[in-house]
Amino acid sequence: MASTPGMDGVPMHAVTQLLDRLAAADEAQYMVTWTEQLLSGRSRLDPALAVRLLRAYRETGRVDKARDLAASLPSSPSTWNPLDTARLAIERAILCTIDGRSDHAEAELRQASRALAVAPRGAGLREQLDMHLTSAQLELRLNRVQPAQAALRLAEHVAERLEDGAWRVAVSMSLGHLAMRLADPRTAGKHYGVALQRSPARGLAAMRAHGNLAIALGSIGQFDDARASAEGACQIAAEIAAGWRHADAYDVLAIVEIAADKPLAALQALDDAHAALGDLEQPTLRYQLAGHRTMALAMLGRAQAAKQWLARTDKLRSDLFQVDAIDDQDLVATRARTLEACGSPREALDTAMPHAERLPDAFVTGSLNLVIARCAAALGENEVARVATERAALSGDRHGWVFPDRQASATLWHGALKSGDSRVVRYAEKMIAVIATGMAPPSIPAPRSASVPPPSRGSFPSVPPPSRVSMPTMTSLSASLGADDSSELERMPDSESLIYVTTPQGVTRVRSTEMNAATEGATLIVDTIAHQLRIEGREVSLERRRALEPLVVQLLRRAREGLSAEEILRAAGGPGPESADAEHRVRVLISRVRDLLGDPAAIERVRDAGEHGRTRYRLSPAVRFALVEPLYTS
């Protein structure tokens, strides 16, 4: 409309409904213009309009205007509608999170929760959704992963209860971004897929959904689908978003090609990105493009060119005020990979080691640990190589990551088959299959000849999971490994399945009907499928000991080197090592495990070498054990 109409006779709820529809259609800039025009003839801003203008300011990047407006509104508006009060508190919480004022953000979220508690029954679902999304963002900022996961689940639950409509595009994108930050690419892909389905086919929303879906799929090995989605983003950008958005779409394609171990294709995509960007400044995008070009050149072994682009990347990084923590970790991995390509494994190792356990669940950290493992192996530091490989494998198995540079890491994955941790073995088998076929397998097939258990591999101890986050491990995808393996799986009776059996000699993969043969001679058998422990002919149900079961499993996986106090608390769940009674809880847990096994001598207490060596608890070498696990966990 050319001018703002008079408001006389127009119900406020109708105006706010229209504004909410505009917000769902990504029209925040129009909302700002319209509302500011309305304000020019008014001395007072209605609360319902104020909170919507506040959000529109933030979504259009005018954070300073949003702060000023939030400060001008009542701190505790008792006369406001409860939903408007909740909206105001949520917006203030978001601004506090941006500013790093976590305590204030938490206080605002509590106020929003109180306001929603007194709202009319059945109302305020959109506000509840925003509150849970904001809470998840705040928990992530505070590095509290489990509460962030819980908030994301609540947001997903509320989103399912809301009516369908254009708003689902923005909400699904927000849910996808949170899931990716929580290292859950499959869930992220699901949300990005929902956003793509509900977006206009050739619009900006579809372009963004295609790009984010491509990154999620590429990170879990679905390279063909990821490439198709990235190319879809490039095509849309060429039609409606020339300039930096077009360049960003080509950068997404480059990321996918790097994940697919196609560095030459990545360089072509990056050339196209630079051509699309032209003379536009975009310092952050130029930094990302330079970093990805450096990585692609290093993967190709073009050491001198990689060094030159690494210098450019460092220069572009120094010009930026702030970079996301994952981007900083990515730069460390790129620098280490470049040094490796230059034939400087010691320098690469020294660069990477301080960051090996930082952001342990991130995709880029898995790639960094593989650089560490390859460089350590080249220097003959086999223990460092083993630990780094297992860190990468455990993260990959937990989250579904498929890391690049697979051919360069082939020796590592074949060595990982000797691990005493079935999760590491499972991931190593998956990576070997990806190297052979170029795609992530749907499952690990049964052995072609399974009349007797396959011979055990030589074993060495495993490292603990790389974080306290308990997330689902790898699930089946949708492709097939090969005709012979597929037919073998199809020929298996319904009553039969594939399982892992871990013994002191290593991990073997057998049919469930062969479990007795695979566990023959074991005096302690822990069956995680039946949740049962058998020792010296005595059977104990673990159904009511669910805190002890994962601890016992970890003790068996790391039978040789044992668990530290922190690892014991992590395995058993509950309060961590920072709790006041941590030492007492460790003693209680070990005492309960000893009671469960019926022999105090079954668990030994040892101390690491050195003045500051940690106390560890490990299974006695005299205990002959077998750990039975399903091939996959859900």
Side-chain angles (χ1 to χ4, degrees):
M1 299 179 68
S3 61
T4 304
M7 294 297 291
D8 294 341
V10 180
M12 182 56 67
H13 72 85
V15 176
T16 56
Q17 284 180 3
L18 288 171
L19 289 174
D20 288 342
R21 289 192 178 191
L22 287 168
D26 201 19
E27 291 288 348
Q29 183 55 57
Y30 177 82
M31 292 172 60
V32 169
T33 303
W34 187 88
T35 311
E36 286 183 338
Q37 287 178 352
L38 180 67
L39 278 174
S40 63
R42 285 171 167 259
S43 59
R44 176 180 170 274
L45 183 61
D46 186 277
L49 293 178
V51 293
R52 286 164 174 81
L53 178 59
L54 177 56
R55 178 170 185 161
Y57 277 146
R58 176 178 56 78
E59 290 182 342
T60 54
R62 300 167 70 177
V63 178
D64 289 337
K65 294 277 287 184
R67 289 192 188 97
D68 293 341
L69 179 56
S72 70
L73 297 172
S75 57
S76 298
S78 57
T79 60
W80 282 26
N81 178 299
L83 297 185
D84 291 335
T85 301
R87 282 175 180 263
L88 175 59
I90 291 166
E91 287 300 321
R92 282 174 168 161
I94 294 172
L95 293 172
C96 289
T97 301
I98 293 172
D99 295 339
R101 296 184 293 133
S102 303
D103 292 344
H104 291 83
E106 289 179 321
E108 293 292 350
L109 286 173
R110 287 194 294 270
Q111 178 160 326
S113 181
R114 288 193 295 268
L116 291 174
V118 299
R121 186 178 181 82
L125 288 179
R126 290 295 303 276
E127 289 76 13
Q128 287 183 36
L129 176 63
D130 289 342
M131 182 179 70
H132 293 315
L133 289 173
T134 305
S135 177
Q137 295 277 10
L138 176 60
E139 298 294 357
L140 275 171
R141 178 67 66 91
L142 296 172
N143 200 30
R144 299 196 299 230
V145 178
Q146 289 180 337
Q149 290 174 323
L152 177 58
R153 298 288 91 82
L154 287 171
E156 290 172 333
H157 176 67
V158 173
E160 290 172 357
R161 296 165 57 195
L162 284 167
E163 76 283 355
D164 203 355
W167 66 270
R168 277 192 177 271
V169 175
V171 169
S172 295
M173 290 294 285
S174 296
L175 292 171
H177 296 336
L178 280 170
M180 280 300 287
R181 289 187 63 193
L182 286 165
D184 189 356
R186 289 188 179 83
T187 298
K190 179 189 72 174
H191 290 305
Y192 292 140
V194 170
L196 184 60
Q197 290 171 2
R198 287 170 168 77
S199 301
R202 312 303 291 179
L204 280 175
M207 185 192 74
R208 296 190 192 105
H210 267 303
N212 285 285
L213 180 60
I215 291 174
L217 293 176
S219 71
I220 58 175
Q222 296 186 19
F223 305 124
D224 291 341
D225 291 339
R227 187 177 293 111
S229 205
E231 290 172 345
C234 293
Q235 291 168 5
I236 297 173
E239 296 172 8
I240 66 170
W244 74 268
R245 292 183 189 275
H246 196 187
D248 188 61
Y250 276 120
D251 189 39
V252 168
L253 179 58
I255 292 171
V256 170
E257 297 295 7
I258 287 172
D261 273 349
K262 304 286 185 183
L264 278 174
L267 290 177
Q268 180 59 58
L270 291 166
D271 287 341
D272 293 337
H274 280 288
L277 191 57
D279 296 330
L280 296 175
E281 288 190 16
Q282 293 296 325
T284 299
L285 179 55
R286 288 192 180 278
Y287 161 67
Q288 293 169 343
L289 292 171
H292 296 149
R293 183 177 290 275
T294 305
M295 177 61 79
L297 291 168
M299 291 172 67
L300 286 168
R302 293 163 59 177
Q304 190 58 39
K307 284 178 66 176
Q308 293 172 354
W309 275 96
L310 178 61
R312 294 190 196 183
T313 305
D314 285 332
K315 174 63 170 63
L316 290 167
R317 170 64 184 89
S318 66
D319 294 338
L320 297 177
F321 174 70
Q322 187 175 10
V323 170
D324 185 86
I326 288 182
D327 284 338
D328 266 339
Q329 184 83 330
D330 194 15
L331 180 55
V332 172
T334 301
R335 182 175 292 111
R337 183 65 182 90
T338 302
L339 291 168
E340 180 191 13
C342 293
S344 303
R346 171 56 61 193
E347 193 175 350
L349 199 60
D350 292 342
T351 297
M353 281 299 288
H355 303 267
E357 297 184 76
R358 181 172 172 262
L359 302 177
D361 298 294
F363 178 88
V364 66
T365 304
S367 296
L368 177 67
N369 271 294
L370 291 176
V371 174
I372 292 172
R374 292 194 300 268
C375 292
L379 294 168
E381 299 180 13
N382 295 329
E383 181 65 11
V384 174
R386 177 189 68 78
V387 171
T389 302
E390 293 202 351
R391 272 198 298 261
L394 288 167
S395 177
D397 184 61
R398 177 181 296 107
H399 305 300
W401 304 130
V402 175
F403 303 116
D405 266 331
R406 288 175 290 279
Q407 191 62 53
S409 302
T411 302
L412 300 178
W413 297 128
H414 282 283
L417 295 175
K418 301 175 183 178
S419 172
D421 190 327
S422 64
R423 298 166 300 174
V424 174
V425 172
R426 174 170 56 226
Y427 189 78
E429 289 177 332
K430 176 182 176 181
M431 289 301 98
I432 292 169
V434 174
I435 292 170
T437 66
M439 65 180 69
S443 61
I444 303 301
R448 288 193 182 135
S449 176
S451 57
V452 295
S456 298
R457 307 180 181 101
S459 176
F460 47 71
S462 304
V463 296
S467 81
R468 299 177 196 174
V469 190
S470 177
M471 300 185 73
T473 56
M474 194 191 104
T475 57
S476 295
L477 300 178
S478 59
S480 168
L481 259 182
D484 291 343
D485 293 329
S486 296
S487 59
E488 176 70 22
L489 289 169
E490 291 169 0
R491 288 197 300 269
M492 291 179 62
D494 292 340
S495 59
E496 197 170 18
S497 61
L498 297 173
I499 60 173
Y500 278 122
V501 175
T502 304
T503 65
Q505 287 72 46
V507 179
T508 56
R509 178 162 47 86
V510 301
R511 294 170 179 253
S512 56
T513 53
E514 301 164 348
M515 183 175 68
N516 290 338
T519 61
E520 185 178 1
T523 56
L524 168 62
I525 300 174
V526 175
D527 187 341
T528 64
I529 301 173
H531 300 293
Q532 190 177 71
L533 180 147
R534 298 187 288 277
I535 184 165
E536 301 289 356
R538 176 171 58 92
E539 293 186 358
V540 179
S541 173
L542 296 174
E543 286 289 350
R544 296 185 179 181
R545 298 175 173 86
R546 302 312 287 271
L548 287 183
E549 182 178 1
L551 175 55
V552 173
V553 168
Q554 277 295 87
L555 281 167
L556 298 190
R557 283 173 174 161
R558 303 189 64 204
R560 183 175 299 178
E561 63 179 334
L563 301 175
S564 67
E566 181 178 347
E567 292 160 354
I568 288 169
L569 294 172
R570 182 190 303 163
E578 68 280 354
S579 59
D581 64 341
E583 187 176 344
H584 172 71
R585 291 188 68 250
V586 169
R587 288 197 298 267
V588 169
L589 286 167
I590 292 300
S591 176
R592 288 178 178 173
V593 172
R594 284 171 170 153
D595 290 343
L596 186 66
L597 301 182
D599 180 9
I603 304 295
E604 296 181 339
R605 187 170 181 264
V606 296
R607 188 174 180 83
D608 291 344
E611 182 182 353
H612 303 290
R614 292 185 297 178
T615 297
R616 292 180 174 272
Y617 296 86
R618 70 182 184 190
L619 197 68
S620 169
V623 177
R624 293 171 296 166
F625 69 87
L627 173 63
V628 179
E629 300 174 275
L631 197 65
Y632 299 104
T633 56
S634 61

